[in-house]
Amino acid sequence: MSIHAVSVNSVSKKFRLYHERNQSLKSAVLRRRRSVHEDFWALQDISFEVPEGSTFGLIGSNGSGKSTLLKCLARIYTPELGSITYKGRIAALLEVGSGFHPELSGRENIFLNGSILGMSRKEITRKFDEIVDFSGVEAFIDQPVKNYSSGMYVRLGFSVAINVAPDILVVDEVLAVGDAEFQDRCKQKFVQFREEGKTVILVSHAMDMVQDMCDQVAWLSHGKLVATGEARPTIASYLKSVEPQ
Amino acid sequence: MIQYFKDLLAARELLANLTLREVRGQYKRTIFGRLWSLLNPLATMLVYTIVFAFILRIQPDAGDPSGVDVFAVWLLCGLLPWAFFASVVQTGMGSIIANAGLVQKVYFPRIVLPLSLTGSIGINWLFEMAVLGVVLLFVGSFFLPWVPLVLVMMVLLAVYATGVALVLAIANVYFRDTQYLMGIVMQIWFYLTPVIYPVSLLKEPSESVGGLLGTPITVLDVYRLNPMERYVEIMRNLLYDNRWPAVEDMGYFVAIAFLSLAIGVVVFRRFENRMAELI
Ligand SMILES: Nc1ncnc2c1ncn2[C@@H]1O[C@H](COP(=O)(O)OP(=O)(O)O)[C@@H](O)[C@H]1O
Ligand SMILES: [Mg+2]
C-alpha cells in the first residue's frame, strides 16, 4: 500500500449556474431541451497526494476553489470526474456546531453532534470529560445551548469535532474564530495530532500560520492547481504572485 | 447497494440520536409537553364529529361483530393513521432543506434525515394509539387479540409513508414547488380516503353510474386503488369491528408499501449526490 493518506486523482467539480431561478417546475417545463444553465468548473483536473502523518495546506485567493475541494474530500460534494482515495477515517471541520439543537443541553448536544460526526455512544462517553474540559464550558453543560455565547458555542462544537479522532482531519478556516487562548489550545491539539501520526489538511488565509504548521501546500487559482510542494517556497511564490506590481 | 446498507447500518446510532433530538426538542418549554401530541387529534376529532356526525348526520355501521357504535371512536381509528401518514410525508419531504446547514457541512448518510422523522412521528403515533386503545376497551371493543397484527400494520404504514417521503424529499430539493403542490395533493387525498365518511356511502352512487366507459370497472374500483383507503379499512376492521381484514386488502397494501420503500430508496440514492450543492 501507498504511504499516502489521501490521493486526489484528476478531480474536477462542476457547478451549474442558472440564469433564472431553476428550482420551480414551471421553469423546468418551459426550459425543456433548451438549456439555460452554464457549467462552471470550480475545480479542474486537480491531482496531488498527501503523505501520511503530514500537515497539508491549501492556499489561494477567495473563490479559487479551496472550500469546494475540501467538501469533495469530505464527501459532501461528489466530483464529476476523477477520484479521491483515503487511507483511514476522515473527519471534516467545515463549520463547528452544525447540527446543534438549540433547545437541548450542552450534554445532549455532545452526544448528538458526536454521532453526526460518526462517533459511537461508547466512544463519546469515554471522551466526554475530555470534550467538556477542552471546551471550558463545564459550568453550563446542562443548560440549553441557545443560552451559550457564540464563543462558547464554537468552543463546544470544536471540542466535539477535534475529539472524533480521525486518521485524517480536514479543516476549513475555522481557526479564525474563538479568542487567542482558545486558538492556542487548538494549535496545540494539531501538534498533538501530528505527533500521533495523523494527517491534517487545512485551509487558512493566515500565511504565517500555514508556514508554521504545514509541511506541504497546494496552491489553487481559479480552480486549477498552480503548484504543490514544500510549504516555504510555495507560499513565497504565492505571496509574490498576489503582490501588487 | 450492499455498501449503502452497510453505511446505513453503521449510522443506526445517528438515526436513533436524530430521532431522539426530534422527540426531545419538540415539546421543550411547553407546560403540557407530550400532551400536545394528543390535543391536536382530539381537537380535529371534535370538529369532525360535530360537523359530520351531528350536522351532516353521517352514520357508519356499528362495528361487526364488536357492536361498538361511537362515531368519534370510529373516526379516530382512521384519523390517527392518516395524521401519521400525512405528517411523515410532509415533514419528511422538507427534511433535507430544513437541515441544509448540516447537509452542507458534514457527511453522513442523508437518508437518516427523513428516516428520523418517521421515527419521531411514529413514537408520537404509538402514544396516540395507546390512548385510543384505552378508549376502545372502554366503549367495548375487544381488540386485544389483534394487537400484534395492528403493530405489524403500523410498521407497514411507516414503510409506505417513508417511501413516499423519500421520493418527495428529493423532488423538493430539485423543485421547491413540490411542498406547495403536495399541500394541495394531501388535502384532496384526505377526502379521497374514507376517514370521515364510510366507504358504504360510495356504493350506491358508484352502482348507479355503472361501468366506466363501457368497461366493468366502476368508480368504486378506481377509488379503491388508493392504498390509504385499504389501510383505513384494515385498521377499522381490527380496532373497531374486531375481525379479520380482507386478505386482498392486506396483500394489496403490503405490496404497495414495499414497492413504495424500494422506489424511495432507489430514487434517493440516485439523486442524493448533488443535494449539498443544490440546497
Ligand atoms: N454550491 C455552489 N453553486 C455554484 N457555485 C459554487 C457553489 N459553491 C461554490 N461555488 C463557486 O465555486 C468557486 C469556488 O468557491 P470556494 O471553493 O468556496 O472558494 P474558496 O474557498 O477558495 O474561497 C466560487 O466561484 C464559487 O462561487
Ligand atoms: Mg472558502
Side-chain angles (χ1 to χ4, degrees):
Chain A
M1 279 303 287
S2 71
I3 43 144
H4 299 308
V6 179
S7 323
V8 178
N9 311 308
S10 316
V11 162
S12 298
K13 174 70 201 163
K14 173 178 77 177
F15 289 120
R16 285 195 166 168
L17 305 181
Y18 294 92
H19 296 308
E20 52 182 293
R21 266 193 56 76
N22 71 305
Q23 281 155 335
S24 81
L25 273 178
K26 185 181 143 220
S27 59
V29 172
L30 289 181
R31 209 190 307 134
R32 264 191 235 139
R33 294 275 154 71
R34 183 171 54 89
S35 155
V36 289
H37 68 256
E38 213 177 85
D39 285 344
F40 169 75
W41 290 91
L43 295 175
Q44 291 177 55
D45 199 22
I46 307 282
S47 300
F48 60 84
E49 260 123 25
V50 181
E52 205 171 349
S54 70
T55 303
F56 194 93
L58 290 176
I59 57 174
S61 49
N62 283 327
S64 57
K66 304 180 299 293
S67 299
T68 306
L69 181 53
L70 285 192
K71 285 186 177 180
C72 289
L73 288 172
R75 298 210 282 165
I76 291 166
Y77 290 163
T78 314
E80 266 71 31
L81 297 170
S83 64
I84 301 172
T85 53
Y86 312 90
K87 198 169 158 229
R89 169 158 135 178
I90 186 162
L93 204 52
L94 301 183
E95 187 179 288
V96 292
S98 5
F100 275 2
H101 191 298
E103 294 289 349
L104 299 181
S105 70
R107 183 186 301 275
E108 290 169 310
N109 268 306
I110 288 178
F111 281 93
L112 176 64
N113 210 233
S115 75
I116 289 173
L117 295 173
M119 278 196 273
S120 69
R121 187 165 190 89
K122 251 204 256 156
E123 228 178 322
I124 305 170
T125 311
R126 188 157 46 81
K127 290 182 178 159
F128 188 82
D129 291 336
E130 202 179 325
I131 293 173
V132 176
D133 242 23
F134 190 81
S135 71
V137 298
E138 333 31 358
F140 304 91
I141 201 66
D142 288 309
Q143 295 281 317
V145 297
K146 65 170 183 189
N147 295 344
Y148 283 22
S149 74
S150 57
M152 287 159 68
Y153 199 88
V154 166
R155 290 163 78 137
L156 187 63
F158 192 85
S159 302
V160 178
I162 201 117
N163 277 293
V164 174
D167 304 303
I168 307 158
L169 182 69
V170 172
V171 191
D172 192 359
E173 295 187 83
V174 285
L175 294 179
V177 292
D179 53 22
E181 184 220 332
F182 190 70
Q183 281 192 23
D184 248 18
R185 278 211 248 175
C186 294
K187 274 191 203 162
Q188 277 167 29
K189 196 82 192 179
F190 282 131
V191 172
Q192 186 193 329
F193 246 74
R194 193 183 168 139
E195 280 163 1
E196 288 165 7
K198 307 217 159 137
T199 311
V200 179
I201 303 177
L202 59 88
V203 166
S204 176
H205 281 290
M207 282 307 142
D208 46 344
M209 191 185 122
V210 177
Q211 189 147 328
D212 235 29
M213 296 178 61
C214 296
D215 307 307
Q216 287 191 24
V217 299
W219 166 16
L220 292 179
S221 171
H222 301 288
K224 291 191 184 122
L225 190 62
V226 180
T228 68
E230 293 291 313
R232 191 173 293 271
T234 316
I235 290 171
S237 45
Y238 165 66
L239 286 177
K240 210 165 153 210
S241 82
V242 293
E243 247 171 37
Q245 261 77 40
Chain B
M1 202 69 180
I2 290 170
Q3 183 58 40
Y4 192 71
F5 284 109
K6 269 191 193 154
D7 281 356
L8 196 57
L9 198 68
R12 64 187 184 282
E13 214 166 314
L14 170 59
L15 181 58
N17 282 332
L18 284 175
T19 306
L20 282 180
R21 170 180 86 163
E22 297 297 329
V23 173
R24 287 208 192 120
Q26 195 173 25
Y27 297 110
K28 281 254 160 131
R29 313 227 8 228
T30 60
I31 294 169
F32 292 111
R34 199 129 303 280
L35 277 181
W36 280 114
S37 158
L38 277 187
L39 288 176
N40 224 327
L42 233 66
T44 319
M45 179 203 80
L46 209 66
V47 172
Y48 286 154
T49 304
I50 291 171
V51 174
F52 293 97
F54 293 117
I55 303 178
L56 295 177
R57 303 220 168 262
I58 288 181
Q59 272 186 333
D61 296 334
D64 172 24
S66 72
V68 179
D69 193 7
V70 184
F71 182 86
V73 174
W74 175 88
L75 176 70
L76 280 179
C77 292
L79 189 61
L80 294 185
W82 173 268
F84 164 77
F85 172 72
S87 184
V88 167
V89 168
Q90 295 204 301
T91 54
M93 175 170 57
S95 60
I96 305 296
I97 290 169
N99 287 288
L102 211 52
V103 171
Q104 288 169 319
K105 302 293 180 213
V106 192
Y107 172 78
F108 56 90
R110 274 68 170 95
I111 203 166
V112 298
L113 291 173
L115 289 186
S116 70
L117 283 168
T118 306
S120 63
I121 299 168
I123 288 172
N124 277 342
W125 183 34
L126 198 61
F127 177 61
E128 293 162 13
M129 292 294 275
V131 175
L132 175 62
V134 174
V135 175
L136 279 167
L137 287 177
F138 192 71
V139 299
S141 157
F142 189 65
F143 68 98
L144 293 180
W146 277 276
V147 165
L149 191 53
V150 169
L151 290 175
V152 170
M153 289 311 297
M154 286 175 73
V155 172
L156 281 171
L157 183 59
V159 166
Y160 175 57
T162 303
V164 176
L166 288 177
V167 173
L168 292 173
I170 289 289
N172 202 30
V173 168
Y174 284 77
F175 305 106
R176 297 296 151 84
D177 301 59
T178 311
Q179 53 191 322
Y180 303 108
L181 181 65
M182 282 313 289
I184 300 169
V185 170
M186 292 306 284
Q187 259 184 56
I188 299 172
W189 198 346
F190 173 71
Y191 286 101
L192 284 177
T193 305
V195 176
I196 46 176
Y197 57 88
V199 190
S200 56
L201 224 57
L202 234 85
K203 286 219 171 84
E204 222 172 281
S206 170
E207 269 161 25
S208 71
V209 172
L212 294 170
L213 306 168
T215 59
I217 301 165
T218 63
V219 173
L220 195 62
D221 293 332
V222 176
Y223 176 82
R224 300 209 71 209
L225 287 177
N226 172 11
M228 287 310 289
E229 190 273 345
R230 308 287 179 126
Y231 192 81
V232 167
E233 288 289 283
I234 293 169
M235 287 306 252
R236 286 218 174 102
N237 285 158
L238 295 170
L239 295 171
Y240 194 73
D241 304 327
N242 305 148
R243 64 180 148 100
W244 282 102
V247 176
E248 68 263 27
D249 287 356
M250 299 268 283
Y252 184 75
F253 190 80
V254 171
I256 294 276
F258 284 107
L259 186 69
S260 153
L261 186 67
I263 293 174
V265 170
V266 168
V267 168
F268 199 87
R269 220 172 87 82
R270 167 85 175 69
F271 292 100
E272 72 179 331
N273 277 348
R274 289 191 55 221
M275 227 172 235
E277 64 204 70
L278 285 170
I279 53 181

